[in-house]
Amino acid sequence: MRTPVAEAYSMATNCASRTMSCGAHGRRSLPEPFLGVALRAKMPGMQQRKPKRDDRLEVEVERVDERGLGVGRAEHESGEYRVALRRALPGERVAAQVLRRRGNKIEGRLLEVLRASADRTSPPCRHYGSCGGCALQDMSYAAQLATKREICERALAAELVKVDVEPVIGSAAALRYRNKMDFTFGTRRWVEPGEAEGVQRDFALGLHPREQFRKVLDVEACEIQPQPFDAILASARRIALEQGLRAWDLVKHEGLLRHVVLRRSVATGEILMQLTTSSEAPELVGPYVAALLAAHPEVTTLVQAINSRGATVAMGERELVLHGSGSIRERLAGLWYRVSAASFFQTNTARAEKLVEVTLEEARLSGSERVLDLYCGAGTLTLPLARHTAHVHGVELVEAAVSDARRNAEENGIGNVTFSAGDVLAWFGSAGAIECDVAVVDPPRAGLHPKVVELLARIPARRMVYVSCHIGSAARDIAALAPAGWRATRARPVDLFPQTPHVECVLSLERAP
Ligand SMILES: C[S@@+](CC[C@H](N)C(=O)[O-])C[C@H]1O[C@@H](n2cnc3c(N)ncnc32)[C@H](O)[C@@H]1O
């Protein structure tokens, strides 16, 4: 007599061979419970068909990852697969089209939401489906904050960093919060599904569509940027076309116009426009800029950055101030900042105030400490720290940011700060014995260089505040600091980037006695 398992296995074998011989009809006619057993059973010599491009799968979505993709499980005749796809929310059941498979991991495209989450909401942006800028517009803002907390928790746990992550401090404005946008000119325009035939395809100004770095989506309106930027962007596109200027071709490395960066001060309303070109070309750039400024007197300063290299960065080898002072003035945490085109400045002014506040709280300064502020930019953290302690030394790679920082200190009457311009690693090599009670580090997304981690681990500070814009890098660096006795005691995320999966996190570290 056969056991129930053997019975099921036998039916499974029959079913499986029937499926193979009869194709889809046979498969559809199988009774569901046996189908599951049949398809997971390992049958020697029998090749089970794995999901391939364009197959349809049904996915139970469990979480949203740090890229903003919904990640879940899908059952298939050949086993269980992890599927990652845009615009799918935790708790949802969705139908997905297979785009790529590697092992048991699948990248998919959302076809249909079969069971919607209560957190699902209507995306406010007309470009949302195509644009690579935001990834969470389908989710209510409250759910975005909960998701970001989980992203922090998972990243820290993955590196075995044991610390409770506090609820994310949200942004008061979930739209129109950015003070800076960086747009690209391109010769391969992204054509939206349903757009009329015959539209011009060899010129665009906007953002890259998701994972399409050679194409550029003409952005007509962006919901996270200040309203005046929409019209300036439209003029920059229209005037370039009227004057017959060519966009930079990313592949052939020819053409003139490369980037437009717009910055607006919340405090003064001043607007800085940076135009990146492949050469100086005053005979072309002059009339273009004149027409732009005539159409937009609200642009208070215009800087031309010249980048003749292949790398697609808005930053130039050199800059020419074509109009105004070359910088704007912004007010943050009670201080005035001069921000020039090349300087880093936090992109959400209102929430950056909170970031400064949380950093100050975590630094717990009594008034007598010597503080080291690594990756200090134009001094956004350095100057508020200096108001609460004896001395702060800031280190920053970009010379223009250091000049801004020095000027910012002077204009705010802050004298107890010094700065070094250069790479943090090189600075460690030249600084000699470091005297420091508290260290603040705010590196770019890549986090700390492994050698910087080694050197930082040995500084005489008793406290460190790691301000992170990429929690995965921060978790890795904090784990690497642990053998030297450093441990994380608090993690306080602050949301500076609504509608995207990015989150800032202020982490307190203490050295074990
Ligand atoms: C996330 S920003 C933080 C800036 C500043 N703390 C603030 O809040 O405005 C990181 C800064 O690190 C600087 N940077 C990047 N790589 C660096 C390096 N190797 N050495 C020194 N500074 C660097 C960047 O120019 C940028 O200003």
Side-chain angles (χ1 to χ4, degrees):
M1 208 175 104
R2 285 196 284 198
T3 61
V5 173
E7 186 71 31
Y9 184 82
S10 156
M11 285 196 70
T13 315
N14 291 336
C15 292
S17 48
R18 185 151 57 93
T19 303
M20 288 174 78
S21 57
C22 305
H25 289 297
R27 198 176 310 140
R28 232 179 273 135
S29 67
L30 290 174
E32 279 295 321
F34 293 115
L35 187 64
V37 177
L39 301 173
R40 267 189 229 102
K42 288 209 166 88
M43 284 162 280
M46 186 186 146
Q47 279 286 315
Q48 283 164 337
R49 183 186 164 283
K50 302 207 159 136
K52 60 178 182 10
R53 194 178 164 86
D54 293 338
D55 278 0
R56 179 183 159 113
L57 296 173
E58 291 197 5
V59 186
E60 283 292 336
V61 186
E62 292 163 352
R63 60 185 172 88
V64 166
D65 72 7
E66 67 290 349
R67 299 165 295 173
L69 302 181
V71 180
R73 283 176 297 114
E75 297 285 338
H76 183 263
E77 59 188 51
S78 56
E80 188 177 279
Y81 290 83
R82 303 294 296 165
V83 185
L85 72 172
R86 291 182 62 199
R87 310 192 62 174
L89 273 50
E92 291 190 329
R93 185 170 180 83
V94 299
Q97 174 190 6
V98 175
L99 296 179
R100 275 176 286 273
R101 181 182 64 79
R102 186 176 288 175
N104 72 339
K105 292 196 178 133
I106 288 177
E107 266 176 64
R109 175 183 293 135
L110 181 73
L111 293 174
E112 197 184 341
V113 178
L114 304 170
R115 186 186 66 233
S117 157
D119 296 323
R120 183 166 278 280
T121 186
S122 272
C125 175
R126 72 183 78 168
H127 300 298
Y128 178 59
S130 317
C131 179
C134 299
L136 299 184
Q137 285 196 15
D138 298 284
M139 207 185 249
S140 70
Y141 189 50
Q144 290 182 27
L145 294 179
T147 298
K148 291 182 191 210
R149 186 184 189 187
E150 285 166 20
I151 288 173
C152 292
E153 286 171 341
R154 275 198 304 272
L156 291 162
E159 295 287 349
L160 306 179
V161 176
K162 287 201 183 90
V163 61
D164 287 338
V165 177
E166 294 189 7
V168 181
I169 301 169
S171 176
L175 295 171
R176 304 258 175 236
Y177 61 85
R178 284 190 67 98
N179 57 28
K180 179 190 176 202
M181 287 295 288
D182 182 339
F183 298 103
T184 303
F185 287 97
T187 51
R188 288 168 187 77
R189 179 167 165 258
W190 172 262
V191 180
E192 294 275 16
E195 260 195 271
E197 282 294 312
V199 288
Q200 184 170 359
R201 288 165 183 253
D202 63 354
F203 188 98
L205 172 58
L207 297 168
H208 293 291
R210 195 163 293 271
E211 291 172 17
Q212 298 274 346
F213 296 107
R214 289 187 174 181
K215 300 214 166 178
V216 176
L217 167 83
D218 260 345
V219 171
E220 287 170 19
C222 170
E223 299 298 326
I224 60 172
Q225 71 177 0
Q227 196 107 45
F229 288 9
D230 289 346
I232 299 173
L233 198 64
S235 298
R237 188 183 302 117
R238 175 182 54 78
I239 297 167
L241 286 168
E242 282 168 7
Q243 298 192 352
L245 302 182
R246 289 173 56 213
W248 175 255
D249 187 318
L250 274 174
V251 178
K252 295 184 190 153
H253 288 188
E254 58 185 37
L256 178 67
L257 302 176
R258 301 192 64 166
H259 297 272
V260 164
V261 180
L262 294 169
R263 276 185 150 152
R264 181 173 180 273
S265 159
V266 173
T268 63
E270 294 166 302
I271 294 178
L272 182 154
M273 180 168 186
Q274 179 186 312
L275 174 71
T276 307
T277 56
S278 57
S279 64
E280 194 170 330
E283 70 291 356
L284 299 173
V285 173
Y288 180 56
V289 164
L292 267 171
L293 292 173
H296 293 282
E298 68 274 23
V299 174
T300 49
T301 183
L302 196 148
V303 176
Q304 180 186 6
I306 295 142
N307 176 11
S308 60
R309 296 163 299 195
T312 51
V313 288
M315 206 177 276
E317 297 131 24
R318 63 204 168 90
E319 283 176 5
L320 305 168
V321 178
L322 302 184
H323 171 68
S325 67
S327 60
I328 52 175
R329 288 178 342 117
E330 180 64 293
R331 194 160 170 81
L332 187 71
L335 296 166
W336 282 103
Y337 290 86
R338 199 172 281 275
V339 185
S340 57
S343 284
F344 174 90
F345 196 80
Q346 298 289 349
T347 51
N348 180 341
T349 310
R351 246 336 59 156
E353 298 228 344
K354 194 71 193 173
L355 188 73
V356 170
E357 194 183 308
V358 172
T359 305
L360 279 174
E361 281 168 15
E362 294 310 307
R364 284 185 282 137
L365 301 172
S366 66
S368 60
E369 294 85 354
R370 293 153 306 172
V371 178
L372 192 56
D373 180 15
L374 301 180
Y375 310 90
C376 70
T380 322
L381 299 174
T382 328
L383 305 191
L385 287 163
R387 287 164 113 195
H388 294 88
T389 198
H391 184 263
V392 189
H393 185 72
V395 183
E396 162 62 42
L397 185 65
V398 177
E399 298 258 0
V402 175
S403 335
D404 281 350
R406 288 196 175 111
R407 195 158 53 165
N408 289 333
E410 205 179 303
E411 288 181 2
N412 285 289
I414 294 175
N416 57 337
V417 286
T418 47
F419 294 95
S420 296
D423 171 41
V424 163
L425 183 56
W427 174 82
F428 266 112
S430 61
I434 291 163
E435 294 186 339
C436 148
D437 305 300
V438 177
V440 175
V441 295
D442 184 6
R445 283 179 62 77
L448 304 173
H449 188 287
K451 289 201 174 114
V452 171
V453 173
E454 273 175 36
L455 294 160
L456 204 54
R458 296 202 295 264
I459 57 168
R462 55 179 184 273
R463 220 174 5 266
M464 203 184 297
V465 184
Y466 191 130
V467 182
S468 156
C469 55
H470 187 263
I471 190 67
S473 312
R476 177 204 64 207
D477 295 340
I478 292 169
L481 286 165
W486 289 99
R487 65 184 183 91
T489 54
R490 269 155 82 93
R492 300 176 66 187
V494 183
D495 187 22
L496 271 69
F497 317 107
Q499 316 303 340
T500 80
H502 305 303
V503 62
E504 289 276 332
C505 190
V506 180
L507 295 127
S508 266
L509 282 84
E510 277 174 23
R511 201 201 290 271

